[in-house]
């Protein structure tokens, strides 16, 4: 049984272009916030792992497919699934909807990174175990 992390975000004025349609760079900024919230939810808040433990989770691959526009004031639901955990990477699938209607989806790969050496590193054992516990049965 896979776990799904779900959260919502309201589209604000600054997330949209002049027509009131969500602007894709803002989508990516919102997605980054969803990722940050997920890591806090699983016990590894970015402010602790970055400042205290000196590792981070930069994006090394990102693909997005947009199916329907979203508008200023709408609330989007983000569903995040962990679909693969490697030695030093994790693949996430994001499904974004509004009132049950699909809006866009994304596949994202994050890598564990030593913030001082700027190199990938294996996941700490406890982090890997936690991510494995969230991994979808595909």
């Amino acid at each position: 049984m896979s776990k799904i992390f779900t959260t919502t975000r309201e589209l604000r004025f600054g997330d949209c272009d002049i027509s009131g349609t969500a602007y894709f760079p803002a989508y990516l900024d919102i997605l980054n916030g969803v990722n940050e919230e997920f890591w806090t939810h699983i016990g590894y808040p970015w402010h602790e792992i970055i400042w205290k433990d000196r590792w981070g989770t930069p994006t090394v691959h990102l693909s997005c497919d947009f199916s329907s526009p979203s508008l200023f004031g709408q609330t989007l639901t983000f569903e995040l699934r962990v679909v693969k955990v490697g030695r030093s990477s994790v693949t996430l699938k994001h499904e974004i909807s509004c009132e049950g209607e699909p809006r866009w989806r994304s596949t994202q790969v994050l890598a564990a990174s030593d913030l001082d050496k700027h190199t990938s590193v294996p996941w700490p054992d406890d982090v890997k175990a936690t991510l494995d516990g969230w991994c979808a049965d595909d």
Side-chain angles (χ1 to χ4, degrees):
M1 185 76 168
S2 65
K3 295 181 183 179
I4 301 170
F5 176 75
T6 304
T7 191
T8 60
R9 293 288 191 280
E10 181 180 333
L11 286 174
R12 304 208 180 267
F13 180 77
D15 300 327
C16 300
D17 63 18
I18 194 73
S19 73
T21 304
Y23 186 53
F24 80 91
Y27 267 162
L28 300 183
D29 186 51
I30 295 167
L31 188 68
N32 190 62
V34 169
N35 284 334
E36 185 173 358
E37 187 177 336
F38 169 72
W39 283 92
T40 296
H41 179 78
I42 66 171
Y44 303 97
W46 282 357
H47 67 275
E48 289 182 11
I49 65 170
I50 289 170
W51 295 123
K52 182 179 141 218
D53 300 330
R54 300 301 298 149
W55 64 272
T57 58
T59 297
V60 297
H61 176 78
L62 179 68
S63 65
C64 300
D65 294 303
F66 303 97
S67 55
S68 188
S70 299
L71 304 173
F72 172 47
Q74 292 182 328
T75 298
L76 301 180
T77 300
F78 288 76
E79 293 183 349
L80 180 157
R81 289 173 179 80
V82 175
V83 296
K84 182 179 177 186
V85 181
R87 181 186 74 81
S88 61
S89 67
V90 62
T91 302
L92 307 175
K93 296 272 187 182
H94 302 277
E95 301 279 338
I96 299 89
S97 62
C98 180
E99 297 180 358
E101 178 185 320
R103 297 302 172 91
W104 62 289
R105 64 182 52 209
S106 176
T107 300
Q108 183 177 29
V109 179
L110 306 177
S113 176
D114 181 302
L115 297 178
D116 297 316
K117 296 178 184 173
H118 304 286
T119 59
S120 68
V121 293
W123 294 114
D125 291 341
D126 56 332
V127 175
K128 176 127 175 35
T130 299
L131 291 172
D132 283 339
W134 277 81
C135 199
D137 300 327
D138 283 347

